[in-house]
Amino acid sequence: NAGVTQTPKFRILKIGQSMTLQCTQDMNHNYMYWYRQDPGMGLKLIYYSVGAGITDKGEVPNGYNVSRSTTEDFPLRLELAAPSQTSVYFCASSYPQGQGDEQFFGPGTRLTVL
Amino acid sequence: QQQVKQSPQSLIVQKGGISIINCAYENTAFDYFPWYQQFPGKGPALLIAIRPDVSEKKEGRFTISFNKSAKQFSLHIMDSQPGDSATYFCAAAGSGDYKLSFGAGTTVTVRA
């Protein structure tokens, strides 16, 4: 199993550009998450999904969009990139066994917006 | 607003020493408290977790202590090794909730 994979690893965007961060998991996990990690701020939840076709906002959704057409894929779309979106983005997945499921994280995408 | 407050932001410990990281929470609905470990350039990975029905859980050199009345929990790394140098995040989730609230993280450096 590859686990959770993310592409690209690094990306530099200009202000106003758009891009999609890809996330794929091969563990047949129902739940998937997108986080951003900023220095000294921990991990903030952007969006999450409990299954194909179902998504919901997390703590910091503004400026982002997601879709979940399959169990495996959960892409994150940035429209009109802004410097405030410079961050490291992590995708994660978990299998619902009840409260407190282990989340499995991808290696991250480091995004810089200039 | 950070639902889980973590301290210190960073710490340096000598090889063989004890690293202690503290977390506090306000939401009394939280009843699952995991710790995640993150190495540079990698995603976080679950290290150890505790539920409030016990006051302590130990796995190898890592121990979680939990104080329900004080709404605090801490991670102790005994006999710290250079390979333990990483960022550690505490987190919490409420009953029936699969979403985690993370602390701000603590960067631990173990000097040989």
Side-chain angles (χ1 to χ4, degrees), chain B residues 21-73:
Chain B
I21 306 169
N22 300 300
C23 287
Y25 64 97
E26 288 297 326
N27 188 345
T28 55
F30 286 154
D31 65 356
Y32 172 68
F33 303 91
W35 286 86
Y36 279 76
Q37 180 188 52
Q38 182 183 31
F39 293 106
K42 306 291 186 183
L46 180 65
L47 179 64
I48 186 173
I50 195 169
R51 298 185 191 276
D53 52 342
V54 296
S55 61
E56 186 175 283
K57 182 174 182 180
K58 184 175 181 179
E59 289 185 4
R61 296 183 293 106
F62 299 90
T63 299
I64 300 178
S65 298
F66 183 78
N67 186 330
K68 187 173 182 177
S69 61
K71 292 185 284 187
Q72 294 176 347
F73 58 110

Side-chain angles (χ1 to χ4, degrees), chain A residues 86-99:
Chain A
T86 294
S87 188
V88 181
Y89 291 84
F90 289 100
C91 179
S93 71
S94 66
Y95 185 79
Q97 296 176 348
Q99 177 255 348

Side-chain angles (χ1 to χ4, degrees), chain A residues 63-85:
Chain A
Y64 308 94
N65 274 302
V66 293
S67 59
R68 184 96 183 270
S69 57
T70 67
T71 299
E72 296 78 20
D73 300 306
F74 189 40
L76 177 71
R77 178 84 177 160
L78 278 71
E79 304 282 2
L80 298 174
S84 61
Q85 293 178 305

Side-chain angles (χ1 to χ4, degrees), chain B residues 65-88:
Chain B
S65 298
F66 183 78
N67 186 330
K68 187 173 182 177
S69 61
K71 292 185 284 187
Q72 294 176 347
F73 58 110
S74 60
L75 177 70
H76 290 64
I77 307 174
M78 313 300 287
D79 187 26
S80 297
Q81 300 297 312
D84 298 331
S85 296
T87 299
Y88 294 81

Side-chain angles (χ1 to χ4, degrees), chain A residues 28-87:
Chain A
N28 201 32
H29 285 171
N30 293 59
Y31 294 179
M32 296 187 75
Y33 316 81
W34 273 106
Y35 294 91
R36 59 177 289 170
Q37 181 179 14
D38 301 298
M41 299 296 289
L43 294 151
K44 301 292 187 184
L45 184 63
I46 305 171
Y47 270 95
Y48 63 98
S49 169
V50 299
I54 306 170
T55 62
D56 207 345
K57 296 178 181 179
E59 191 179 354
V60 289
N62 291 346
Y64 308 94
N65 274 302
V66 293
S67 59
R68 184 96 183 270
S69 57
T70 67
T71 299
E72 296 78 20
D73 300 306
F74 189 40
L76 177 71
R77 178 84 177 160
L78 278 71
E79 304 282 2
L80 298 174
S84 61
Q85 293 178 305
T86 294
S87 188

